[in-house]
């Protein structure tokens, strides 16, 4: 299998063309308002599979028009076209679902954003983090560092891909370290705040995090292709394969099929599996106030007035979402990455333009943004 994978990758690298059926037109326009936007979106998908991306699934919607597109391959071994309805790992887009559940609980008076996490989890959060509030967990201003996880390279992570990680153990590992900064004084985007939030949801509801997401969001919105995999490392149902560039067993650099990979290390911060259709339905409902209702929705569109802990730039993350200025307007959303898969949900605040994608990146957790994903963002909204 790996020799076939390397052969097809070489074709994409050397010839710069898509292999086999993937060379077909990458998109179908359902209703698009501006040909320039439609052409830019189609252009972003041209030439797949390529060294950096094996497939891409895209939906653009809103009052400005609708566009659907897919390109690339289902898998490199057969080269058959990508399934536009395939499921994929959404990574940190999971945080939007987790934040929405937490805000629903806040609206019911079962979770107070201004109370400390320790007041809910006194057996887990130590005194050194006694002043961290629920809101600070959700907007990444808590100061809790990342837990210790095995492996520091992609090859080591691959070797440990079937390890099952316990959420409480990860929190204890993180909270045993000195804080990065005083809570509320800076922002550092990490998974750990959402791991604690998942445990908070379980503590105040007496129910599993997974069931709360299903009961509160997935079932009401009829998101039938979205689910939390738990300890199962497989993607259930139809899906396109994901690949990651790494050192292979023979010492060469190439692609491994990483479609089967456990995600318990991410849990409430990044383990969901979904489709572009489900993500689009969720995004539209969220921005229309059908998921989080009333004033608490503003938490998702409010950036804390602090600086990024590492760069010193203004904070870019709110409760569940992040904000970028593209094409002269604010675009709110969330990106995510698991090995082999990048995903995003986004929209202008008024809902005039939405974009969701699943991009099968061969370096989904690397430095910088995948070039297909970046081209889709620019095509949909404009340049920064």
């Amino acid at each position: 299998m790996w020799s076939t994978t390397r052969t097809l990758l070489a074709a994409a690298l050397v010839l710069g063309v898509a292999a086999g059926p993937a060379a077909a037109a990458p998109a179908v326009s359902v209703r698009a308002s501006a040909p320039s936007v439609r052409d830019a979106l189609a252009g972003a998908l041209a030439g797949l599979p390529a060294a950096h991306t094996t497939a891409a699934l895209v939906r653009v919607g809103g009052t400005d028009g609708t566009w659907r597109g897919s390109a690339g391959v289902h898998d490199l071994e057969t080269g058959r076209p990508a399934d536009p309805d395939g499921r994929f790992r959404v990574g940190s887009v999971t945080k939007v679902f987790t934040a929405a559940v937490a805000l629903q609980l806040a609206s019911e008076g079962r979770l107070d954003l201004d109370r400390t996490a320790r007041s809910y989890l006194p057996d887990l959060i130590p005194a050194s983090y006694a002043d961290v509030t629920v809101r600070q967990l959700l907007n990444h201003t808590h100061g809790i560092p990342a837990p210790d996880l095995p492996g520091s390279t992609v090859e080591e992570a691959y070797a440990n891909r079937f390890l099952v990680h316990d959420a409480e153990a990860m929190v204890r590992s993180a909270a045993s370290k000195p804080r990065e900064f005083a809570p509320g004084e800076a922002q550092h985007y990490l998974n750990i705040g959402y791991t604690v939030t998942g445990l908070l949801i379980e503590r105040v509801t007496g129910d599993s995090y997974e069931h709360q997401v299903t009961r509160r969001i997935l079932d009401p919105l009829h998101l039938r292709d979205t689910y939390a995999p738990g300890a199962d490392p497989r993607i259930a149902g139809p899906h396109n394969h994901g690949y990651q560039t790494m050192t292979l067993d023979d010492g060469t650099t190439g692609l491994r099929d990483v479609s089967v990979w456990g995600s318990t290390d991410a849990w409430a911060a990044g383990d969901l599996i979904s489709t572009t259709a489900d993500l689009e339905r969720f995004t539209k409902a969220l921005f229309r106030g059908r998921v989080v209702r009333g004033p608490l929705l503003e938490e998702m569109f409010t950036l804390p007035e602090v600086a990024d802990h590492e760069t010193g730039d203004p904070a870019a993350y709110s409760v569940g979402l992040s904000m970028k200025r593209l094409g002269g307007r604010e675009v709110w959303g969330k990106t995510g990455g698991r090995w082999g898969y990048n995903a995003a949900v986004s929209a202008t605040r008024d809902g005039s333009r939405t974009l969701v994608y699943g991009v099968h990146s061969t370096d989904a957790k690397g430095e910088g943004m995948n070039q297909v994903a970046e081209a889709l963002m620019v095509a949909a909204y404009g340049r920064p």
Side-chain angles (χ1 to χ4, degrees):
M1 175 177 178
W2 297 123
S3 61
T4 304
T5 297
R6 285 195 291 269
T7 299
L8 285 169
L9 174 63
L13 280 168
V14 176
L15 301 178
V17 298
V28 175
S29 173
V30 179
R31 178 174 62 85
S33 58
S36 60
V37 174
R38 181 176 66 242
D39 293 345
L41 289 165
L45 301 187
L48 298 184
H52 49 76
T53 310
T54 58
L57 318 176
V58 189
R59 284 178 175 248
V60 175
T63 58
D64 286 349
T66 301
W67 189 89
R68 307 283 182 265
S70 64
V73 293
H74 169 271
D75 66 279
L76 289 174
E77 189 171 28
T78 68
R80 74 177 193 262
D83 179 355
D85 300 317
R87 295 175 176 176
F88 50 87
R89 302 187 190 279
V90 307
S92 287
V93 173
T94 302
K95 291 181 176 71
V96 191
F97 290 78
T98 303
V101 171
L103 291 174
Q104 286 186 8
L105 290 168
S107 71
E108 297 164 9
R110 303 172 71 181
L111 198 60
D112 186 337
L113 300 184
D114 293 315
R115 275 185 64 181
T116 66
R118 180 175 165 84
S119 68
Y120 293 103
L121 299 168
D123 53 323
L124 188 61
I125 306 298
S128 55
Y129 289 98
D131 48 353
V132 172
T133 67
V134 176
R135 181 181 285 103
Q136 289 164 351
L137 293 174
L138 291 167
N139 67 15
H140 306 282
T141 61
H142 47 75
I144 306 173
D148 291 326
L149 295 173
S152 58
T153 67
V154 60
E155 292 80 11
E156 291 169 336
Y158 179 78
N160 291 299
R161 67 194 182 281
F162 298 133
L163 286 181
V164 176
H165 301 272
D166 177 73
E168 291 192 4
M170 288 191 290
V171 173
R172 288 193 177 95
S173 169
S176 67
K177 304 176 184 180
R179 62 191 188 184
E180 294 185 324
F181 49 82
E185 293 193 359
Q187 184 174 77
H188 188 191
Y189 178 82
L190 291 171
N191 281 347
I192 190 63
Y194 278 74
T195 303
V196 178
T197 300
L199 294 170
L200 284 175
I201 290 168
E202 294 194 332
R203 183 64 58 90
V204 301
T205 64
D207 191 12
S208 71
Y209 159 79
E210 293 82 358
H211 186 252
Q212 284 292 303
V213 172
T214 300
R215 184 178 73 81
R216 291 172 174 273
I217 300 177
L218 307 188
D219 285 350
L221 296 180
H222 306 291
L223 307 183
R224 296 185 177 91
D225 288 309
T226 304
Y227 74 100
D232 190 344
R234 298 165 296 180
I235 300 175
H239 62 279
N240 302 303
H241 290 226
Y243 297 88
Q244 171 65 37
T245 302
M246 66 177 78
T247 302
L248 304 177
D249 294 340
D250 61 4
T252 63
T253 298
L255 296 182
R256 282 193 186 274
D257 189 325
V258 292
S259 310
V260 181
W261 192 312
S263 55
T264 54
D265 60 313
W267 191 48
D271 75 345
L272 287 184
I273 290 168
S274 190
T275 62
T276 55
D278 273 9
L279 291 180
E280 183 179 61
R281 190 177 301 117
F282 170 67
T283 302
K284 290 180 177 180
L286 180 71
F287 278 67
R288 290 170 181 167
R290 292 176 47 213
V291 179
V292 179
R293 302 179 188 276
L296 281 168
L297 180 59
E298 289 304 311
E299 295 284 345
M300 304 190 88
F301 300 102
T302 303
L303 297 175
E305 296 181 357
V306 297
D308 183 273
H309 173 60
E310 296 183 323
T311 67
D313 295 333
Y317 296 93
S318 62
V319 171
L321 299 177
S322 63
M323 190 277 287
K324 292 185 178 181
R325 294 197 64 85
L326 298 172
R329 54 186 170 176
E330 290 186 356
V331 175
W332 294 84
K334 189 71 188 72
T335 59
R338 295 291 298 176
W339 303 112
Y341 300 92
N342 280 134
V345 299
S346 63
T348 53
R349 181 67 195 273
D350 62 3
S352 61
R353 177 64 51 84
T354 63
L355 166 69
V356 302
Y357 64 67
V359 170
H360 292 45
S361 169
T362 60
D363 191 19
K365 297 172 75 66
E367 294 290 333
M369 192 173 187
N370 173 273
Q371 65 187 69
V372 173
E374 184 174 12
L376 289 169
M377 281 284 185
V378 170
Y381 299 110
R383 295 193 176 278

